[in-house]
Amino acid sequence: MSAYADLVGLAERAATLTTIRGVGRPASWAVGADEATYRNAAVLMLFGALDNVPAISNKPLVSADLDVLLIERAATLNDHPGQVAFPGGGVDATDDSILAAALREAEEETGLDPSGVEILGTLPEVPLVVSNFMVTPVVGWWARQSPVDVVDFGESAQVFRVPVRDLLDPENRFTAVLKRGRQTYRGPAFAVNGLVVWGFTAGILNYVFQELGWSVPWDEQREIPAPI
């Protein structure tokens, strides 16, 4: 099957789920969070095979030109400064839907043309406790490519399309470790493009890759400090 067909199948299966496994922090980290006050948010997981920059990895894990769109958040932001993330943000009252919010935020952050994005479906919403968001990951495909770049450096430090093969390469996979007092968070991480993808974004990617059957074994004992 093609990557596109795999993603369509994932979206179809996700429509029958109410939760997704292995994403987010342990329940003990939710202290102080009130689900009744969560704000709805959406992120766009945009895959495509149109980029002219192939993967660095030579391992035949997926097509070398398959990529996913990510941003590096500005270091001056209050929420998740400097972290690598999917384009996205809070749902506004003017948004017609979660899907519309994901596309609007992606356009505002990366300059992409929303008309060139084919929405394949959504994953079940995931709580992002630290910023009190309930996030819906929206799965998309580049139907018609458009240029992307930083629109507002107050919001994003860089915008880039990461080859999925590089994310899957076991040499680029780690376990990120974050300690807060007596609590320790361990979660999947990816080292690509000179950056470390960890936390919520890495959890979503890890889940998607496992569900698609794209993941290959990697050394989960290789730990790095969470870049925070």
Side-chain angles (χ1 to χ4, degrees):
M1 293 177 68
S2 67
Y4 174 84
D6 285 348
L7 289 162
V8 169
L10 171 68
E12 291 175 347
R13 295 193 302 276
T16 67
L17 303 176
T18 56
T19 60
I20 58 178
R21 305 182 309 275
V23 176
R25 297 179 178 179
S28 59
W29 283 60
V31 175
D34 181 2
E35 292 190 22
T37 66
Y38 277 137
R39 182 184 174 192
N40 288 326
V43 295
L44 180 64
M45 301 185 63
L46 183 57
F47 292 87
L50 300 170
D51 195 2
N52 59 4
V53 180
I56 295 174
S57 173
N58 59 8
K59 297 180 176 66
L61 304 172
V62 293
S63 174
D65 65 354
L66 177 67
D67 57 34
V68 63
L69 180 65
L70 296 174
I71 64 170
E72 179 189 2
R73 293 171 58 82
T76 54
L77 291 173
N78 292 327
D79 293 332
H80 316 289
Q83 291 190 22
V84 179
F86 302 113
V91 177
D92 289 347
T94 55
D95 291 320
D96 293 334
S97 65
I98 289 285
L99 305 183
L103 290 173
R104 174 186 56 76
E105 286 282 349
E107 181 179 15
E108 291 176 358
E109 292 179 337
T110 73
L112 62 74
D113 180 357
S115 68
V117 177
E118 178 185 354
I119 299 297
L120 304 182
T122 63
L123 303 182
E125 57 188 16
V126 183
L128 186 52
V129 173
V130 68
S131 50
N132 213 42
F133 280 113
M134 187 66 75
V135 184
T136 299
V138 177
V139 183
W141 182 264
W142 281 109
R144 292 184 304 279
Q145 183 183 17
S146 58
V148 291
D149 204 349
V150 174
V151 175
D152 180 356
F153 281 97
E155 295 286 335
S156 306
Q158 62 173 312
V159 173
F160 50 99
R161 298 174 62 172
V162 178
V164 173
R165 180 185 289 187
D166 289 342
L167 290 168
L168 293 173
D169 192 326
E171 295 181 12
N172 297 330
R173 301 207 60 179
F174 301 86
T175 293
V177 181
L178 176 63
K179 295 185 178 181
R180 284 286 187 269
R182 296 182 179 180
Q183 294 180 315
T184 300
Y185 162 78
R186 285 182 170 83
F190 305 82
V192 291
N193 209 48
L195 298 167
V196 174
V197 187
W198 70 287
F200 178 85
T201 302
I204 296 290
L205 285 170
N206 184 64
Y207 168 81
V208 167
F209 293 157
Q210 288 179 339
E211 289 297 307
L212 290 170
W214 293 357
S215 287
V216 294
W218 55 283
D219 185 2
E220 298 184 28
Q221 302 305 311
R222 262 200 320 168
E223 297 184 346
I224 58 173
I228 192 171

